[in-house]
Amino acid sequence: MKPMAHLGVGIGWRPEIADAVERLPGLDWVEVVAENICPGHLPEALLRLRERGTRVVPHGVSLGLGGADRPDPAKLAALGERAVALGAPLVTEHIAFVRTSSPLLEAGHLLPVPRTRDALDVLCENVRIAQDALPVPLALENIAALFSWPGEELTEGQFLTELVERTGVRLLIDVANLHTNRVNRGEDPAAVLDAIPLEALAYVHVAGGVERGGVWHDTHAHPVPPVVLDLLASLRSRVDPPGVLLERDDDFPPEAELAGELAAIRAVVTAGPAAELRAETAPEAAAEPERVPDAADGPGGRVPVEPARTRVALGQAALLSALVAGTPVPEGFDRGRIRVQARALAAKRADVVARLAPELPGILGGRDPYREAFLAYAKGRPMTAGYRRDALDFAEHLLIRDLPADPAARRRLTAWWRERAGVRPPRRVVRWARTLAGRAA
């Protein structure tokens, strides 16, 4: 595999810190959440970074390449369009599943795939489909997890190594996620780093989190702890990473603190002897990874993966239903951890909807009444079509039940819903009928 183009030290670009990012000293590159930008209407701050030579890498969060279904062609096309619009040397995504199609459910979060042969076969085929559709190389990130799947057949290192060998995909190693999985799943980060092919490394993520009740939460809203910088140093002792990026998604600190965290990361990256795997390619583009014959290929061609897709689909549907729809937890899972994950998913839904529709907490009397109402709604209404649709469904759910109780607030909610839904809210007789139907169900 050819060396990866050198990126340097960067930060996740977010609108809330766009001005600060432009002023950060020595910034080499930025990463942007692909789903948060429109190729034809790039933010001015991002365009200014590009004009001064700062490279931008789109980072996808919604493909769900670890899911049982084939990648959505529209989502692949959208990710490719963003790569072209940004002049990106590569695009990145996650080794995760985010939805199921039967039943139709959205997690709104990156969930771990089982490290089984079936799941690996499905993931490899999905990765090949994505690689064929994308105009630039693809790298995949290891994710943080609160729980493990029962009956796993491979270690994390074995799973990642075989994925690279069978597809030629690059790896985005998140050292904060390695720490998360050490706390939550008892996995040894050193064993992962020793096992994976570091020549496939595209770049590295560094982020903060917090431990509560023996569970590490990968929040991206706290300072990078020393233990994560230690893992970055451990990785650096094995390879000179082509790029390292600081992620921060919430509770943004003052500009000076961001600069200090970047300085600490840069100090780790530049310590030690000269790199062995530093890219010798031109910085304008990453080299396309070499394709490797798939281990599943036989004399008569590739082994059909449909039976594996069916088995993976059944397992993922049972798990996601337990997490977002309150069905029984499948056999073999840690029920306590699944409850923690379910609460975290509901809380994230509430927070994201509040960010996308900031008027709702105001209409409902503040953050606490909004959150109480939303969590009650979420218990019986799994997300099926994304957060923006979720906000509209939540508002309609309240209006059907003649809520909020205050008439003035209800009128404001009706006006808000009507403006965005483009239709009249249900009449009172319809609301009564739907309420009765819901009670009967």
Side-chain angles (χ1 to χ4, degrees):
M1 183 176 287
K2 297 179 181 179
M4 174 69 197
H6 181 63
L7 292 170
V9 175
I11 192 169
W13 186 90
R14 304 293 184 265
E16 297 88 341
I17 54 172
D19 292 340
V21 168
E22 286 191 72
R23 294 188 293 265
L24 288 171
L27 187 69
D28 297 311
W29 66 293
V30 299
E31 179 192 79
V32 61
V33 177
E35 289 80 357
N36 290 349
I37 60 168
C38 177
H41 301 86
L42 295 177
E44 290 295 327
L46 206 55
L47 289 173
R48 288 193 295 270
L49 286 174
R50 287 200 62 216
E51 288 168 0
R52 74 185 200 194
T54 304
R55 275 183 289 177
V56 183
V57 172
H59 184 54
V61 297
S62 65
L63 266 183
L65 291 174
D69 295 322
R70 287 176 174 76
D72 183 342
K75 291 183 183 295
L76 284 173
L79 185 56
E81 288 171 0
R82 283 149 179 78
V84 171
L86 295 168
L90 78 164
V91 296
T92 58
E93 249 288 352
H94 299 83
I95 301 170
F97 83 99
V98 297
R99 66 183 62 85
T100 59
S101 58
S102 181
L104 180 60
L105 297 172
E106 288 276 348
H109 188 71
L110 302 165
L111 294 174
V113 301
R115 289 177 298 212
T116 61
R117 289 288 170 192
D118 278 348
L120 182 60
D121 288 345
V122 170
L123 174 62
C124 286
E125 183 168 86
N126 287 348
V127 168
R128 286 190 294 269
I129 293 169
Q131 288 171 317
D132 290 342
L134 292 169
V136 295
L138 171 68
L140 295 181
E141 178 181 350
N142 60 306
I143 72 162
L146 283 172
F147 60 88
S148 298
W149 282 78
E152 293 193 315
E153 300 163 340
L154 302 165
T155 66
E156 178 81 342
Q158 291 169 334
F159 194 86
L160 296 178
T161 298
E162 193 163 332
L163 171 65
V164 171
E165 290 174 347
R166 290 171 59 174
T167 66
V169 75
R170 298 279 182 181
L171 293 177
L172 192 180
I173 295 300
D174 190 316
V175 291
N177 291 350
L178 292 179
H179 173 64
T180 301
N181 294 339
R182 170 167 54 191
V183 176
N184 294 349
R185 305 204 288 188
E187 297 174 357
D188 181 8
V192 177
L193 294 177
D194 285 340
I196 61 177
L198 290 174
E199 67 273 14
L201 184 65
Y203 60 88
V204 179
H205 273 173
V206 179
V210 64
E211 187 170 354
R212 299 191 191 99
V215 174
W216 186 268
H217 297 270
D218 180 46
T219 63
H220 293 191
H222 293 79
V224 177
V227 67
V228 171
L229 288 177
D230 289 344
L231 283 176
L232 177 61
S234 179
L235 183 149
R236 174 63 181 81
S237 71
R238 294 165 168 82
V239 63
D240 188 5
V244 181
L245 183 121
L246 171 65
E247 289 188 294
R248 188 76 180 232
D249 294 326
D250 206 351
D251 289 342
F252 299 101
E255 184 176 331
E257 289 186 29
L258 286 177
E261 288 203 291
L262 283 175
I265 290 169
R266 188 174 289 108
V268 173
V269 173
T270 56
E276 296 180 2
L277 296 180
R278 172 81 72 184
E280 297 176 357
T281 57
E284 285 77 14
E288 178 68 42
E290 299 173 8
R291 293 297 181 89
V292 182
D294 194 321
D297 288 350
R302 185 163 292 145
V303 175
V305 75
E306 292 310 312
R309 286 191 184 278
T310 299
R311 291 188 291 269
V312 170
L314 290 172
Q316 291 180 346
L319 173 62
L320 189 51
S321 294
L323 288 170
V324 303
T327 59
V329 177
E331 190 68 30
F333 283 95
D334 183 323
R335 285 174 167 74
R337 286 298 174 88
I338 297 301
R339 284 195 294 270
V340 171
Q341 183 71 83
R343 289 195 296 269
L345 292 179
K348 181 178 180 179
R349 274 179 75 184
D351 291 342
V352 175
V353 166
R355 285 200 297 271
L356 290 174
E359 305 87 354
L360 291 177
I363 292 172
L364 297 179
R367 179 184 182 277
D368 290 344
Y370 157 78
R371 196 174 182 84
E372 181 180 354
F374 188 91
L375 292 179
Y377 150 82
K379 284 182 180 179
R381 293 288 298 271
M383 184 166 58
T384 59
Y387 288 111
R388 296 186 187 281
R389 182 71 250 176
D390 209 20
L392 289 171
D393 289 346
F394 169 56
E396 183 179 1
H397 167 86
L398 294 177
L399 292 172
I400 286 172
R401 287 155 179 78
D402 283 331
L403 295 173
D406 175 54
R410 195 160 62 250
R411 285 193 296 271
R412 289 175 60 199
L413 183 62
T414 299
W416 181 92
W417 182 86
R418 181 183 296 165
E419 180 181 346
R420 287 154 183 81
V423 295
R424 291 184 176 277
R427 298 190 178 196
R428 183 177 296 274
V429 65
V430 176
R431 297 201 298 268
W432 285 345
R434 290 186 183 178
T435 301
L436 289 171
R439 288 174 182 168

